[in-house]
Amino acid sequence: GKYANLMFDELSKKLARKYPEYFEALYKNLRLANVRVFSNTYINLGFMAGCAGALLAFFSGFLIFGFGILDIAKSLMLAILFFFILLFVFYYYPKVIVDNRRREIKNDLPFAIIHMAAVAGSGAKLVDIFGMLLHSKEYKALSGEIKRIMNYVNLFGYNLTTALKFVAETTPSDGFKDLLNGMIGSIESGGSIKSFLKNKSEDTLIR
């Protein structure tokens, strides 16, 4: 990342200013995918990987095609092709992660809601319910989202409502976002989380 920033940071920032619509989509997917690299660094890594792949393809072309003038042109075309293929892979990789996470969370969410409603019925606090879900290890797709909620509360000292808002803004799942926003609404209005989760679990069973 350090070398990629030194080599390509100026280029990537210039392209981001010139074509903001493409880069905004990438920035959004990087955030939703929870890729633990700064957005500009990720782009610079993509350029570096593309250049490295292009060089490798160019020299490999000599072994495949030969050393004639036409062969050099073929090797150059192969290098350009590899460069754009690797850029394409880097650009769409976060979107693939987001789509996979969204699908996995959708599969786990109904069971997690029913589980939460059952535990809430015993009078457990919401933060303890999230902790219980995390430690049960039954909902792997949700573990990353729940872990971030717990970290905001336990490590950074935010109140639960603020933690839920932060995670709701960055989760790739619309269903989980709706669940968190519903919890936020119940907390801020002084409603019962127990009743909210019970109603939500009943809706889940009907669907």
Side-chain angles (χ1 to χ4, degrees):
K2 178 180 178 181
Y3 290 118
N5 286 336
L6 287 172
M7 295 169 64
F8 298 104
D9 196 53
E10 186 175 344
L11 172 64
S12 66
K13 288 180 179 177
K14 187 180 294 184
L15 289 173
R17 289 192 295 269
K18 191 172 183 180
Y19 305 103
E21 64 277 9
Y22 296 106
F23 285 87
E24 285 173 5
L26 177 58
Y27 293 152
K28 179 181 177 181
N29 285 327
L30 283 170
R31 187 173 69 256
L32 293 178
N34 200 26
V35 175
R36 297 183 180 181
V37 176
F38 289 119
S39 298
N40 284 339
T41 300
Y42 181 86
I43 295 168
N44 295 334
L45 285 169
F47 280 119
M48 188 168 72
C51 289
L55 284 173
L56 181 62
F58 181 72
F59 290 114
S60 297
F62 292 132
L63 299 176
I64 299 171
F65 305 119
F67 294 89
I69 294 177
L70 185 59
D71 298 326
I72 293 174
K74 290 179 180 178
S75 297
L76 184 60
M77 291 177 63
L78 182 65
I80 293 171
L81 177 63
F82 265 73
F83 176 77
F84 283 106
I85 286 175
L86 286 169
L87 283 187
F88 179 86
V89 169
F90 261 77
Y91 186 86
Y92 281 99
Y93 175 66
K95 187 178 186 305
V96 171
I97 294 177
V98 171
D99 289 342
N100 287 338
R101 286 183 61 202
R102 185 180 289 120
R103 184 170 56 253
E104 291 170 356
I105 290 173
K106 183 179 180 181
N107 292 334
D108 277 358
L109 189 57
F111 303 102
I113 291 173
I114 293 170
H115 196 163
M116 293 176 76
V119 177
S122 67
K125 294 180 180 179
L126 185 54
V127 68
D128 295 329
I129 295 173
F130 279 121
M132 178 272 301
L133 287 182
L134 184 61
H135 289 108
S136 71
K137 298 181 180 179
E138 294 179 20
Y139 311 100
K140 293 182 179 179
L142 287 167
S143 62
E145 313 299 296
I146 296 172
K147 189 178 291 184
R148 287 194 294 137
I149 293 172
M150 300 302 290
N151 285 342
Y152 279 128
V153 174
N154 296 328
L155 295 182
F156 300 110
Y158 292 113
N159 60 49
L160 182 59
T161 305
T162 303
L164 295 177
K165 287 179 179 178
F166 283 154
V167 176
E169 289 175 357
T170 56
T171 182
S173 169
D174 291 336
F176 192 60
K177 181 177 183 178
D178 289 342
L179 176 67
L180 297 183
N181 284 333
M183 291 176 175
I184 293 167
S186 293
I187 294 170
E188 291 182 339
S189 65
S192 169
I193 287 293
K194 177 181 175 180
S195 298
F196 169 76
L197 288 172
K198 181 182 178 182
N199 293 334
K200 199 73 176 176
S201 67
E202 290 173 353
D203 290 343
T204 301
L205 289 172
I206 293 172
R207 293 177 186 177

